[in-house]
């Protein structure tokens, strides 16, 4: 008996026609609307970086989404990866990984120096993230050290206090 082949999906930039589908996907992935509203707020404020929001599409349906928003370590601009969403029935298929890898590669190509993420310490190291404390990054709220991670993209990760976009409320 052979294993069925993995579903084939495409990864592409978000378009204006994707907004409703991204909102529904994000709400489904998180089981609430808070993260979907965060995506909308980041997009509306301009803190969600134009051109750095990607979707994964399977059979014409958006099944994954990730975006980068502006953050700062001290005065140095960087990008924050969040939120990342995969429709529950498509989790663990590789589509989320593909979207994040493509998004981080595009950020590096566009000259973004570093990225941060506050997330699952078992998941994000596969992309090159490691504890932000190792770079000398601090955050003014208590979070588990292993959950706040950073990585270089097109330069060095600076040391200093991390500030997320105001929409995060952190």
């Amino acid at each position: 008996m052979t294993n069925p082949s993995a579903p084939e999906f495409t990864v592409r930039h978000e378009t204006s026609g994707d907004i409703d589908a991204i909102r529904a996907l994000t709400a489904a992935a998180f089981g609430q609307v808070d993260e979907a509203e965060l995506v909308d707020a980041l997009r509306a404020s301009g803190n969600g970086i134009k051109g750095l929001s990607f979707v994964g599409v399977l059979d014409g349906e958006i099944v994954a989404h990730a975006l980068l928003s502006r953050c700062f370590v001290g005065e140095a601009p960087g990008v924050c990866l969040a939120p990342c969403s995969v429709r529950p029935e498509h989790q663990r298929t590789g589509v989320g990984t593909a979207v994040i890898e493509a998004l981080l590669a595009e950020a590096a190509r566009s000259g973004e120096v570093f990225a941060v993420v506050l997330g699952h310490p078992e998941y994000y190291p596969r992309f090159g993230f490691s504890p932000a404390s190792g770079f000398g990054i601090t955050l003014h709220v208590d979070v588990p050290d292993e959950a706040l991670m950073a990585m270089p993209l097109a330069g060095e990760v600076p040391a200093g206090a991390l500030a997320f976009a105001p929409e995060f409320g952190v």
Side-chain angles (χ1 to χ4, degrees), residues 129-170:
F129 286 99
S130 62
S133 61
F135 296 101
I137 294 175
T138 60
L139 188 60
H140 69 281
V141 296
D142 286 332
V143 297
D145 184 65
E146 65 275 5
L148 180 62
M149 294 169 269
M151 67 179 286
L153 293 172
E156 304 257 339
V157 177
L162 173 61
F164 291 105
E167 291 79 9
F168 284 95
V170 178

Side-chain angles (χ1 to χ4, degrees), residues 44-106:
S45 72
N47 284 324
I49 302 168
K50 189 168 176 75
L52 293 179
S53 180
F54 281 26
V55 295
V57 181
L58 177 65
D59 297 329
E61 178 188 11
I62 293 175
V63 297
H65 173 253
L67 77 132
L68 293 169
S69 61
R70 182 61 61 212
C71 69
F72 291 87
V73 171
E75 298 294 316
V79 293
C80 172
L81 175 62
C84 303
S85 307
V86 177
R87 194 164 284 286
E89 62 271 21
H90 294 288
Q91 292 175 359
R92 295 178 176 76
T93 64
V95 67
T97 296
V99 169
I100 292 169
E101 286 175 342
L103 184 59
L104 292 170
E106 181 69 13

